[in-house]
Every structure is written in C-alpha cells, then in structure tokens.
C-alpha cells in the first residue's frame, strides 16, 4: 500500500496561496490548489512554479465549490493549468464534458 499526504490550499488571495503552497510542499506529497476559493482568478503567479506535485481543482458550487464560477471560466483555468504543466486536474464527473477538447 502506498500512502500519500495531500494538502489542500483554500486561500482567498494569490499571495496567501503562494505562502500556503510553500508550507504545504514541505509536508505533503501533493498539494491540491482549490482555485474556487481565490477571490481573483488571475493565477499566473501560482502556475509560475514547479507543478509536478500540484492538483488543480475548480469545484462547481453545486458540487462543494466555494463560489460560483461559470463553465467557460472553469475550462479556461483547467486549460491554463494543463498548459503550464500541472501534474493533475480534479474534475467532477458531471463536468467531464468540459475537457473533451483540452
């Protein structure tokens, strides 16, 4: 059995998220970056780092997300994350259609 520790990042600002990422990377095997918690979705600084241990999640409000983000914006965030080399994206089964062409 392989055990991994995943540390979720639920910061409201990019600055807080970067601080939490630095701490989480020291204790966790992977870090889940919950973009639906960020008040501003300009995440370029977050993606400007080593992403080999990062899971990006943008939850729909109806599936436990912190706030409402439209499908188009969620798709854009997933595309940015994938293009920047993030290790994983966590997509709800109900949203799999968003990633057909990514």
């Amino acid at each position: 059995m392989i055990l991994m520790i995943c540390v979720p990042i639920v910061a409201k600002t990019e600055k807080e998220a970067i601080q939490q990422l630095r701490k989480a990377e020291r204790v966790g095997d992977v870090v889940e970056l919950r973009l639906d918690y960020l008040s501003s979705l300009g995440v370029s600084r977050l993606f400007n780092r080593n992403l080999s241990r990062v899971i990006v999640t943008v939850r729909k409000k109806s599936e436990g997300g912190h706030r409402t983000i439209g499908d188009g914006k969620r798709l854009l965030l997933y595309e940015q994350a994938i293009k920047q080399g993030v290790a994983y994206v966590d997509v709800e089964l109900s949203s799999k259609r968003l990633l057909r062409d990514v």
Side-chain angles (χ1 to χ4, degrees):
M1 175 188 313
I2 298 174
L3 297 175
M4 295 180 69
I5 297 173
C6 179
V7 181
I9 303 298
V10 292
K12 292 183 180 180
T13 68
E14 280 189 48
K15 183 178 178 179
E16 289 174 5
I18 290 169
Q19 291 170 345
Q20 290 181 23
L21 277 167
R22 288 183 182 134
K23 291 177 184 178
E25 289 169 336
R26 290 193 296 259
V27 297
D29 298 300
V30 291
V31 176
E32 178 187 24
L33 183 56
R34 289 287 304 269
L35 297 184
D36 52 281
Y37 274 81
L38 289 173
S39 57
S40 168
L41 292 175
V43 294
S44 59
R45 290 188 312 158
L46 295 174
F47 292 152
N48 189 18
R49 58 188 307 107
N50 179 1
L51 300 171
S52 65
R53 296 174 28 207
V54 175
I55 301 168
V56 166
T57 303
V58 190
R59 285 272 174 265
K60 290 171 38 174
K61 182 85 170 172
S62 64
E63 300 221 12
H66 185 68
R67 63 191 179 98
T68 301
I69 301 172
D71 284 349
K73 184 61 177 180
R74 288 179 43 245
L75 177 58
L76 179 63
L77 291 167
Y78 284 128
E79 286 176 337
Q80 286 176 335
I82 291 166
K83 287 177 183 174
Q84 292 297 319
V86 72
Y88 308 96
V89 293
D90 179 3
V91 181
E92 303 90 351
L93 187 58
S94 66
S95 297
K96 69 180 181 180
R97 66 174 176 72
L98 287 178
L99 297 179
R100 282 191 190 135
D101 298 325
V102 177

